[in-house]
Amino acid sequence: MTETRFDPSVADGRWQRAWEQAGTFTADSDSPKPKSYILEMFPYPSGRIHMGHVRNYTMGDVLARYQKMRGFEVLHPMGWDAFGMPAENAAMEKGVHPGGWTRQNIAQMKAQLQRIGFALDWTREFATCDPEYYGHEQALFADLYEAGLVYRKESTVNWDPVDMTVLANEQVIDGKGWRSGAEVEKRKLNQWFLKITDFADDLLEGLGKLEDWPEKVRLMQENWIGKSQGLEFSFDMSDGGKLPVYSTRPDTIFGASFCAIAADHPIAQGLAGDPAVAAFIDQCKKGATTAAALETAEKLGYRTPITARHPFTGEALPVFIANFVLMEYGTGAVMGVPGHDQRDFEFATKYELPILRVVASDPAKADEPFKGEAEAGDGVIVNSDFLNGMSVEDAKQAVITRAESEGWGEGRTVWRLRDWGVSRQRYWGTPIPFIHCDACGVVPVPKDQLPVTLPEDVSFDIPGNPLERHPTWKHVDCPKCGKPARRETDTLDTFVDSSWYFLRFASQPADRPFDPEEVAKWMPVQHYIGGIEHAILHLLYARFWTRALAHIGKITVQEPFAALFTQGMVTHETYSRIDATRGVPVFFGPEDVNRTSDGATLIADGQPVEVGRVIKMSKSKKNVVDPDAIIARHGADAVRWFMLSDSPPERDLPWSDAGIEGCARFVQRLWRLFAACDAAAEGEDKSLDRKTHQTIAAVASDIEALGFNKAVARIYELTGAVEKAAPSASRSAAIRALVHLAAPMMPHLAEEAWSAMGEGLIADAPWPAVDPALLVDDEVTIAIQHMGKLRDTVTAPKGASKEDLEALAMASANLQRSLDGAAVRKVIVVPDRLVNIVT
RNA sequence: GCGGGCGUGGCGGAAUGGUAGACGCCGGGGACUUAAAAUCCCCUGAGCUUUGCUCGUGCGGGUUCGAGUCCCGCCGCCCGUACCA
């Protein structure tokens, strides 16, 4: 090692090839070692790796390499979430086949990932668009159908009449298709559903045990599942009919002063012959649906001629059609209790309905007036006949019991969670393996005929589903009766593909989706890392599929991901100017801007540009930095180091040129230190030994806690200490330790250094052992305080007695000056830490 | 509205109730060099009457010998969201 510079353009490739040839990161499921499954959310093959991917995979990579050094057999796989709309859009726009487009993107992105030197087991790579993968998925889907967890039902969908396809709710913007801009229609279609609601309680309960998941994600899932318990009962109406309502607050039933039904409630529809009613229903439908708009939306109602009879008081309550009642939730009708529900309060105020108090902080305050808003809090029941004096909880139960015994209502649990509609009228997805026969109905494709593969000869010249209009593909004979029948032309939601891919990574036999015993060896995933945007859908669906597969006896694990980590985004400054003629900002990319410490100018004309906020990298703001260009310039290790430095991993990471240059400098600095290591140096440097061992221990615990930024800081500190130390055996040992500590983060540099000082690959080396005796210092710095203010510091032997420390403190001239002869009232001594004198 | 998170130097950020600002970036000064790059050394929260002292972790209170950290009440920003009965 005579070169003075580390050259990543040579070394990166050399070690990447060495790992590949040695199969260093190929996971052996038969290994006797304990197993560790590290997984990052697999990417959609859009064509380019972006900085967000680099950050995500670097974190997982550090964990994988670290775990390997700790003696685990590590599974760290990578694959491609390869079905989806962008491929079809590309087909429509560029005339390419979705499959070809996707394959080409995968090849590009794989090469990019390999240039970063990730410790991935590429032997297990697959794409969800591989017929082998989706064929197994079809088999699992059929198994779930057999188990009664898949069904068909007619449901209302968002239909884009221009693109001739169903749109997800997220794809409808202001009532128009996101792509075509056409007014979206509601259509009834027969759709495939997965019975996720069967597992609602289990999915909710399971959240409580996911201690290593972010609280935030657990709460989001809890809200999404949305369990509520209450009473469903029916009012007898003045027209002789019944009005079923649902309430989570049956304890407040004596406070009900009206009923309200949704605009699309059958009763409202029945009254729509009246033009005034029809007009009101129309008005309700037009209301905006964004959260912000709903917040300020006025409560509107239409008083129908119908009244409802209160089950206890017999009073006739007016029935309104109201814009704030949703048909989709509960029974689409509510009892209005203005005193204890804010919406009902606003409504009652507007329409001058009675606002009754039935809950009070104290029985004596039963007639306390309301202060302009409803009181939804806890308290004691008042003005409520047989409920008076009860707590809210007891009263709820009492009303439910009474309703059930008298037969006019019953306790009911209502969920917000709906069954998962998985039908998509698209080409680039997993074909749903069913056949429609006029005689036999819906018939599953026999397993020995799977996979049902996508036809290659399709065109995207006209909108709609190419499978539907393919000349031959859908025409098959019924597997049961042999008569001509039709294939299902819907494909599965791509979220199905990502709901079990982690099982296929763990085990990939040819004849089955996976082997349960192999799966049991690796699952659950020990660390799952990805973006917060998947907090609900993907993570909930994956939890559901794992449970569903366990339910039908395919696997034993219930929860797929033991620990979840959601990493922050990579952000960057924006550079812009206001376009004089149009008055809108025009953005410039970082490569077109010259950034100095006090501003930025456009390289093209030398004139200043506005330096804007640091925000997520996006094409429209032109603040994207391409990883490839950075790696070509600074090498993989500098980029990896940057991804781990400074920002805590859960927070956003601001990209900066100065930052990456600093990282590249540090790579060289370490290189010089490694290259100058004198293995023959002799002599002991006890304090450096301590620093080394303390750093090894600290970096280990930081990595285990995913505190990569702290681990980085420790490595900087030890580097500085080693640089300052005189040559000794201790110093040489410290350098060897540093190579190990750097290995998970800067693997190419570490291998290059290790090749000159050790045996084999450092990727295979064990994590350095720590001598516990060296973790504690024999001298400590004691803070000397007067009334909690620092006055002096002194060094003392570790474990010195309280008396000795007090004496040391009293001997301080600085302290004595501060005391100024005042009488000492109290002395606080914290051993090995501080002495505080109280006067 | 509700739920969650965050608020510390010029910037990213450290800190089991115990020396606030580790580590990095930026900036300043110096060394080496004919010069530059690279590298190395020093300084870098504010202020003051500078052996030291005062102030300082969004604001106002409180608990404590001692609070960035705990408690109460506010303010601001970010993210999520369902008028869910």
Side-chain angles (χ1 to χ4, degrees):
Chain A
M1 287 198 292
T2 51
E3 292 160 69
T4 52
R5 285 188 67 78
F6 172 70
D7 184 359
S9 67
V10 177
D12 286 5
R14 168 158 61 230
W15 296 109
Q16 286 157 17
R17 283 188 298 276
W19 297 323
E20 197 190 336
Q21 279 160 21
T24 307
F25 305 117
T26 305
D28 175 11
S29 56
D30 294 325
S31 162
K33 294 180 189 174
K35 307 283 189 292
S36 176
Y37 188 176
I38 310 290
L39 185 65
E40 301 97 55
M41 293 177 185
F42 68 162
Y44 176 78
S46 59
R48 301 292 296 170
I49 291 292
H50 56 70
M51 280 295 178
H53 292 125
V54 178
R55 192 179 189 202
N56 187 179
Y57 305 147
T58 300
M59 291 179 193
D61 203 58
V62 171
L63 285 171
R65 287 173 177 271
Y66 171 78
Q67 288 291 76
K68 182 172 169 63
M69 292 176 85
R70 285 322 289 248
F72 288 90
E73 185 67 27
V74 174
L75 173 55
H76 187 217
M78 182 56 71
W80 310 94
D81 189 12
F83 275 136
M85 303 227 313
E88 286 192 52
N89 293 340
M92 281 183 260
E93 283 156 20
K94 299 173 195 160
V96 292
H97 190 276
W101 182 86
T102 302
R103 291 286 165 200
Q104 201 179 332
N105 288 348
I106 288 174
Q108 275 180 37
M109 291 172 76
K110 182 176 178 181
Q112 283 186 295
L113 290 181
Q114 286 176 324
R115 282 198 287 277
I116 312 173
F118 291 131
L120 293 164
D121 181 355
W122 286 106
T123 66
R124 297 180 186 234
E125 175 194 10
F126 62 79
T128 55
C129 64
D130 296 341
E132 301 80 62
Y133 182 81
Y134 70 71
H136 293 309
E137 184 168 303
Q138 289 167 340
L140 291 175
F141 190 77
D143 289 337
L144 293 178
Y145 175 79
E146 208 168 294
L149 292 172
V150 171
Y151 66 97
R152 276 165 68 78
K153 95 177 165 190
E154 185 164 82
S155 81
T156 308
V157 297
N158 304 306
W159 180 260
D160 183 323
V162 171
D163 278 354
M164 289 176 55
T165 186
V166 168
L167 297 177
N169 285 331
E170 300 77 36
Q171 295 162 345
V172 180
I173 297 152
D174 291 335
K176 297 187 170 70
W178 69 284
R179 204 169 174 283
S180 68
E183 199 81 27
V184 168
E185 299 168 7
K186 294 283 178 194
R187 275 209 188 176
K188 294 250 181 199
L189 281 183
N190 256 316
Q191 302 271 290
W192 290 91
F193 285 85
L194 280 168
K195 262 193 172 171
I196 191 171
T197 54
D198 271 16
F199 295 81
D201 230 336
D202 195 32
L203 287 165
L204 180 65
E205 204 164 307
L207 289 173
K209 292 174 213 140
L210 293 175
E211 282 162 20
D212 292 323
W213 279 43
E215 181 68 18
K216 182 192 172 95
V217 174
R218 290 194 285 173
L219 270 165
M220 283 166 78
Q221 291 209 358
E222 188 180 321
N223 290 340
W224 185 265
I225 295 168
K227 182 181 188 175
S228 71
Q229 284 166 305
L231 172 70
E232 183 174 328
F233 69 98
S234 290
F235 285 101
D236 292 326
M237 292 192 294
S238 54
D239 66 356
K242 292 213 178 269
L243 176 62
V245 299
Y246 174 72
S247 173
T248 54
R249 292 295 303 274
D251 55 298
T252 62
I253 193 164
F254 284 92
S257 58
F258 66 94
C259 288
I261 62 175
D264 36 1
H265 193 283
I267 294 173
Q269 296 296 323
L271 295 168
D274 180 342
V277 174
F280 180 77
I281 291 173
D282 232 32
Q283 190 187 347
C284 287
K285 282 187 179 161
K286 278 189 186 135
T289 50
T290 63
L294 289 172
E295 206 171 298
T296 49
E298 200 185 355
K299 305 283 175 282
L300 294 175
Y302 180 91
R303 189 167 186 151
T304 71
I306 305 168
T307 59
R309 188 175 170 281
H310 192 288
F312 289 120
T313 66
E315 199 181 334
L317 306 178
V319 176
F320 284 80
I321 302 168
N323 65 344
F324 67 91
V325 181
L326 307 175
M327 193 59 219
E328 301 81 54
Y329 190 82
T331 61
V334 298
M335 67 168 185
V337 184
H340 307 284
D341 180 284
Q342 186 57 27
R343 290 158 311 178
D344 296 350
F345 189 94
E346 288 167 28
F347 191 82
T349 306
K350 184 172 166 75
Y351 294 100
E352 294 178 335
L353 300 161
I355 301 176
L356 310 169
R357 174 180 288 281
V358 289
V359 181
S361 57
D362 187 297
K365 294 183 177 164
D367 298 313
E368 187 111 329
F370 290 96
K371 300 188 187 93
E373 58 181 16
E375 292 177 19
D378 206 357
V380 58
I381 306 295
V382 296
N383 304 323
S384 297
D385 191 9
F386 72 101
L387 299 175
N388 286 340
M390 286 188 196
S391 70
V392 165
E393 259 333 289
D394 290 347
K396 277 182 189 173
Q397 203 45 59
V399 173
I400 291 172
T401 306
R402 179 96 165 237
E404 286 176 350
S405 67
E406 293 175 3
W408 50 270
E410 61 181 0
R412 187 183 152 196
T413 303
V414 169
W415 304 87
R416 193 185 102 85
L417 185 70
R418 293 294 134 90
D419 275 340
W420 176 14
V422 291
S423 285
R424 298 290 181 271
Q425 290 67 39
R426 303 233 158 252
Y427 166 73
W428 196 231
T430 300
I432 295 177
F434 282 87
I435 289 164
H436 300 279
C437 171
D438 288 335
C440 311
V442 175
V443 182
V445 175
K447 287 232 172 127
D448 58 10
Q449 289 172 32
L450 295 178
V452 175
T453 53
L454 291 165
E456 285 291 316
D457 52 333
V458 285
S459 85
F460 294 87
D461 304 346
I462 14 174
N465 183 354
L467 294 179
E468 181 64 41
R469 56 167 190 269
H470 189 279
T472 55
W473 188 77
K474 69 175 173 180
H475 301 295
V476 288
D477 293 337
C478 173
K480 245 187 195 168
C481 66
K483 287 184 195 143
R486 298 171 318 281
R487 259 192 211 297
E488 172 64 62
T489 56
D490 283 356
T491 52
L492 287 172
D493 182 0
T494 56
F495 275 110
V496 174
D497 309 332
S498 53
S499 289
W500 70 284
Y501 76 107
F502 40 89
L503 301 174
R504 183 73 186 167
F505 273 148
S507 162
Q508 23 196 256
D511 59 338
R512 292 162 293 163
F514 44 77
D515 179 295
E517 282 176 30
E518 290 285 296
V519 165
K521 285 182 185 174
W522 294 106
M523 291 292 290
V525 173
Q526 189 184 7
H527 284 288
Y528 193 39
I529 311 176
I532 184 74
E533 66 273 19
H534 294 111
I536 298 173
L537 297 182
H538 162 58
L539 288 165
L540 192 65
Y541 293 150
R543 294 182 64 224
F544 158 63
W545 263 74
T546 308
R547 279 174 164 70
L549 294 178
H551 178 74
I552 61 174
K554 296 269 172 195
I555 48 175
T556 50
V557 68
Q558 296 271 336
E559 282 290 352
F561 314 121
L564 172 71
F565 189 84
T566 55
Q567 99 273 7
M569 297 178 297
V570 182
T571 57
H572 195 281
E573 286 178 334
T574 53
Y575 309 107
S576 64
R577 275 183 195 162
I578 300 296
D579 182 290
T581 54
R582 290 180 302 153
V584 294
V586 180
F587 290 93
F588 301 100
E591 66 283 356
D592 298 327
V593 168
N594 185 23
R595 181 78 167 96
T596 59
S597 59
D598 54 348
T601 53
L602 194 65
I603 292 168
D605 60 12
Q607 296 303 303
V609 290
E610 178 90 2
V611 177
R613 289 197 332 150
V614 177
I615 54 171
K616 179 181 183 175
M617 288 187 178
S618 81
K619 279 182 195 157
S620 65
K621 299 293 189 294
K622 290 205 179 162
N623 62 339
V624 177
V625 176
D626 179 37
D628 259 10
I630 304 293
I631 291 162
R633 184 155 171 204
H634 298 289
D637 289 341
V639 177
R640 296 169 59 107
W641 189 247
F642 185 95
M643 290 294 132
L644 302 165
S645 302
D646 294 351
S647 288
E650 68 278 10
R651 280 200 226 170
D652 290 350
L653 173 67
W655 177 270
S656 76
D657 289 341
I660 186 65
E661 279 159 24
C663 291
R665 275 201 302 274
F666 183 65
V667 170
Q668 297 300 336
R669 186 177 152 199
L670 266 186
W671 175 248
R672 286 191 299 276
L673 189 63
F674 293 163
C677 181
D678 176 8
E682 288 179 24
E684 191 185 45
D685 182 340
K686 201 75 179 176
S687 90
L688 184 60
D689 286 342
R690 285 210 173 81
K691 183 76 187 170
T692 302
H693 283 249
Q694 286 166 359
T695 304
I696 294 167
V699 168
S701 63
D702 285 338
I703 289 176
E704 282 165 31
L706 282 70
F708 304 113
N709 57 323
K710 293 185 219 170
V712 162
R714 309 266 191 198
I715 291 175
Y716 273 115
E717 270 189 80
L718 181 59
T719 303
V722 173
E723 283 170 340
K724 285 188 183 69
S728 66
S730 299
R731 187 174 187 271
S732 303
I735 291 173
R736 289 169 69 91
L738 259 179
V739 177
H740 286 82
L741 299 187
M745 307 184 185
M746 299 187 278
H748 309 89
L749 173 74
E751 293 290 4
E752 192 79 7
W754 189 246
S755 67
M757 59 174 82
E759 295 279 309
L761 292 165
I762 198 160
D764 289 319
W767 189 254
V770 170
D771 179 355
L774 290 171
L775 291 182
V776 286
D777 292 309
D778 56 356
E779 266 195 341
V780 288
T781 306
I782 303 291
I784 298 175
Q785 300 179 338
H786 176 208
M787 304 297 285
K789 292 199 175 188
L790 184 71
R791 285 294 176 257
D792 207 349
T793 57
V794 294
T795 51
K798 167 111 186 156
S801 72
K802 289 194 172 193
E803 293 72 22
D804 290 351
L805 290 176
E806 186 178 338
L808 259 177
M810 285 306 189
S812 159
N814 285 347
L815 176 72
Q816 286 303 331
R817 190 167 348 96
S818 180
L819 289 177
D820 195 24
V824 175
R825 287 197 296 135
K826 197 173 170 187
V827 178
I828 311 273
V829 180
V830 182
D832 296 335
R833 280 242 173 222
L834 62 81
V835 179
N836 186 17
I837 310 294
V838 184
T839 57

